[in-house]
Amino acid sequence: MNTRRFFLLGVLVAAVVALTLQAPALASQETQKQPPTQLQIGVKHRPANCAVRTKPGDTVSVHYTGRLFSDGTEFDSSRKPGRGVPLDFVVGQGSVIKGWDQGLLNMCVGERRVLKIPAGLAYGARGAPPVIPPDAALVFDTELMAINGVGAEADGAEANEAEADGAADSDGAAHEEL
């Protein structure tokens, strides 16, 4: 009878140990983030005053840092030492990835956003070797520095936090205050 109890106790201990060792692996699988399937726009800072918002055809200056969604690896930044110059482009002309053309609409000078961009609005199946793999979702921290050459100083925009309503702007993308 004692042998049977020891055997059952041993089986029970082995099962508990096995479950304990598997728990971190199972938990990490459950907490892994899924890549976005649509553009996600998070507003980190919105100036209190916003006289002008970006629209298609505007020439904008944007500081940014780009990372892979999968592991957070930084692949590019306009703020790198020795660079420090914002990227200038015309919104809606296809000179940047679609996620930028859509994600930077209705933005104020001085506003900071996080764009979570699905692969289909980034570089898609081709990627951008060697730094961006195929079908990679991307995350960009962005800050709008100027619209059509007019920066925050000339626009009168102040760096005060404003309440964001969390609703979608006319660009149709989901926005949230971060």
Side-chain angles (χ1 to χ4, degrees):
M1 189 84 137
N2 283 339
T3 306
R4 185 173 181 198
R5 283 186 191 173
F6 283 122
F7 175 76
L8 290 176
L9 182 61
V11 170
L12 181 61
V13 169
V16 169
V17 169
L19 288 174
T20 303
L21 293 175
Q22 288 181 351
L26 294 173
S28 70
Q29 288 174 357
E30 292 175 8
T31 59
Q32 285 181 350
K33 299 181 288 184
Q34 295 298 314
T37 57
Q38 64 181 16
L39 176 63
Q40 296 175 11
I41 301 171
V43 178
K44 290 176 67 174
H45 168 79
R46 184 173 288 156
N49 298 319
C50 182
V52 180
R53 291 180 178 267
T54 56
K55 62 187 180 310
D58 285 341
T59 298
V60 296
S61 292
V62 179
H63 264 305
Y64 68 92
T65 298
R67 299 182 317 276
L68 299 177
F69 179 86
S70 61
D71 64 4
T73 300
E74 183 178 310
F75 58 82
D76 193 18
S77 178
S78 64
R79 295 185 184 271
K80 285 182 182 175
R83 189 166 165 191
V85 178
L87 176 67
D88 296 337
F89 67 96
V90 178
V91 177
Q93 300 295 309
S95 57
V96 293
I97 60 175
K98 290 179 184 179
W100 271 44
D101 271 340
Q102 295 173 19
L104 301 179
L105 287 173
N106 299 312
M107 198 169 177
C108 304
V109 172
E111 187 172 332
R112 293 188 308 270
R113 290 182 179 179
V114 174
L115 306 178
K116 293 180 182 176
I117 303 174
L121 295 177
Y123 295 97
R126 73 181 186 281
V131 292
I132 300 174
D135 297 315
L138 306 176
V139 178
F140 285 93
D141 291 305
T142 62
E143 181 177 4
L144 183 62
M145 306 306 291
I147 301 173
N148 296 322
V150 178
E153 311 80 36
D155 188 30
E158 296 178 12
N160 294 328
E161 296 294 329
E163 291 295 320
D165 57 13
D169 284 336
S170 61
D171 57 16
H175 293 70
E176 64 182 56
E177 186 74 26
L178 295 178

